[in-house]
Amino acid sequence: MGPAGTTPQPARERILDAAFRLFYAHGPRGAGVDTVIAESGVAKATLYKHFPRKDDLVLAYLDKVDQAWFGALRAAARDAGDNPRDQLIGTFDALDTACRREGYHGCAFINTAAESITGSDVHARTIEHKNVVRAWVTDLARRAGATRPEQLARQLTLLIDGGLAAGVLDADPATPIAAKAAARVLVDAACQPA
């Protein structure tokens, strides 16, 4: 039993939690395997049993980030109500929440893509994430009556990515608000009247 009667966390989860914190704060290149081992409290053999290559650990980290971020986007859309137009705009509430989070360092996928080798499994995973998010936004745009849903989705996802970057650069709480206002203009211009 762990502290206060809790069950100890499995080694794989301890490794992933440590990698998540370290990779997000310092990037996968900035956090070595030895640091992950030290932070997670596992033996080197245990880490390599679960993640034979560092890239395997980085991919698992990206999967964990994907679940959290894509989950936050979908939850923000759901919270905006049943109207797909409102849901498109509501996704920007996830941006607001992310940018206000303590220790915010921007988009883990953009950060990881910037330091990964084009064509590698890691780089491909970052692209896959962005494509999946854009496909989801395209579907919402289609249901919202956008005349060109793919174009609107590209515009909105670029706005989200820009908001994620600006959240790091200027740390201004008005940035996500401005991004949401711009999203409203884009959605209103692209969609047929409700």
Side-chain angles (χ1 to χ4, degrees):
M1 296 296 271
T6 61
T7 304
Q9 193 178 24
R12 186 177 196 286
E13 291 308 309
R14 289 197 321 268
I15 294 165
L16 262 178
D17 286 350
F20 186 93
R21 286 189 310 275
L22 292 165
F23 291 172
Y24 186 68
H26 307 289
R29 280 194 181 170
V33 170
D34 289 338
T35 306
V36 173
I37 289 167
E39 286 282 319
S40 64
V42 301
K44 186 177 272 194
T46 301
L47 181 133
Y48 285 114
K49 176 182 138 198
H50 292 286
F51 305 100
R53 304 172 306 141
K54 184 176 181 184
D55 278 1
D56 295 326
L57 181 56
V58 175
L59 290 168
Y61 156 71
L62 291 174
D63 288 344
K64 189 170 180 151
V65 173
D66 179 67
Q67 289 174 353
W69 174 240
F70 199 21
L73 286 172
R74 289 188 304 246
R78 273 191 314 274
D79 289 348
D82 294 333
N83 183 320
R85 288 176 75 159
D86 294 338
Q87 291 176 347
L88 283 168
I89 298 162
T91 60
F92 284 81
D93 291 336
L95 174 65
D96 186 43
T97 301
C99 290
R100 292 175 189 269
R101 193 176 65 239
E102 182 70 31
Y104 176 70
H105 293 287
C107 176
F109 286 93
I110 294 171
N111 296 344
T112 301
E115 68 175 44
S116 65
I117 298 168
T118 301
S120 68
D121 291 344
V122 169
H123 195 264
R125 180 64 179 95
T126 64
I127 293 169
E128 175 191 354
H129 166 79
K130 293 299 180 181
N131 288 338
V132 167
V133 170
R134 190 168 44 248
W136 175 73
V137 174
T138 300
D139 180 59
L140 270 179
R142 191 172 288 112
R143 290 189 288 124
T147 54
R148 297 175 65 194
E150 293 85 5
Q151 179 180 339
L152 178 59
R154 184 164 297 278
Q155 291 168 335
L156 292 175
T157 55
L158 284 170
L159 189 56
I160 289 170
D161 287 344
L164 289 167
V168 173
L169 297 172
D170 59 23
D172 184 346
T175 297
I177 295 166
K180 186 174 182 178
R184 186 175 310 281
V185 170
L186 289 169
V187 169
D188 287 347
C191 296
Q192 303 298 323

